Amino acid sequence: MKLSCSRSTLLSGFQIIGSVISSRTPKEVLKCAKLEAADGKATLSGTDLEVSIRYDFEEVEVMVPGQILLSVHELVSILREAKTDSIEIELKKDEESEQDYILIQAGKSEFRLSVHDPSEFPAVETFNESNYFEIPIQSFREMIRRTVFATDPESTRYALGGVLFDVEDDKLTLAATDGRRLAMVESACSYQGEETYENNRPVIPAKAMSLIEKSLTGDEGNIQIAIRANDVIVKSGRSTIFGRLVEGRFPKYRDVIPPEPTHSIDLEVGTFFAAVRQAQIVTDVETRGVDFIFSSGLLTLKSVAASVGESKVEIPIPFEGEEIVITFDVRYLADFLKALDSAAHIQLQLIDSDSAAVLKTDDGYTYVIMPLSQAR
């Protein structure tokens, strides 16, 4: 095999592929990406056996078609350091040892890499589905950013290691929870296909969702998502992503949302987030809790950590009524706020000191956070 390719295009592909590669795998072949080239096109593939990705590109000149395996770590390092616009990759044979090797030329720099057998690389699926959902790329990217952080990949309780994909009519809801908070976001979607979709409320692994987000480029066009019995396959632009669905049952997430609140407080994201970040400074591993004291016209954030010190942060808020003191893990509030534009406004809904708080935006995003005394 021999080809010449744009360095930036190849680097983008290897960086995306690198998101699925596990450095801890004992199998050397799984630390590699498979590069296939023919007819003026090339494809990079990577997998950890649970999540897989194909990345197609045409900015390539194929002199000799073929396929090889390339170490992702080494290739990303070479491509980052190279100063040329194009890279040449060739499979060659050493005349003395008669051993194959991979020659990479980047301007005046030259690298010889060892060879792995491409036949040992697991097959990575292509998107050939006739029944799938279509969702605008910009909307789906935002939905992932607003939910995936609330998953619990280490959980053996329920199916908390992924994001719920829940479709009713033309509305898609993504939901994620780790038992301490719930992130839920809604958006319009459309279904293409003749077979009726049976909503079994599948859960897509957090790793696959993060990979989908990284692979989405630009704001135009739609992403295609096909939900199958045990897996999901996604097509967007250059990328095709495959993931096995998370086994187990997702909690009845809508039951977690409290009833009508006693108070609904309008807050600017930037101002509130700044106060949360300041309060977070004086916390430690053992003391994550910050007291949120809601009093007439004022929100006071107080934190005390024996190994650090104390802090008090105040911001004016439109609140009237009896004082409410509620303790939150500020990391969970920060996760929610960093997913929003600083100029946006949210509604913080409270019932009392012992009940979960609800934070809502005006574009279908709901976040529920338990007080520390109530979290599981």
Side-chain angles (χ1 to χ4, degrees), residues 290-312:
V290 171
D291 291 336
F292 286 68
I293 305 167
F294 297 86
S295 57
S296 181
L298 190 68
L299 169 60
T300 304
L301 287 69
K302 285 187 176 182
S303 57
V304 178
S307 63
V308 184
E310 302 179 8
S311 72
K312 183 174 80 169

Side-chain angles (χ1 to χ4, degrees), residues 155-161 246-252 376:
S155 175
T156 56
R157 176 173 171 249
Y158 294 103
L160 306 186
V246 178
E247 296 182 357
R249 182 169 58 88
F250 196 83
K252 295 182 178 179
R376 72 171 184 186

Side-chain angles (χ1 to χ4, degrees), residues 32-43:
C32 296
K34 186 177 184 179
L35 174 61
E36 302 170 88
D39 302 324
K41 299 179 181 179
T43 299

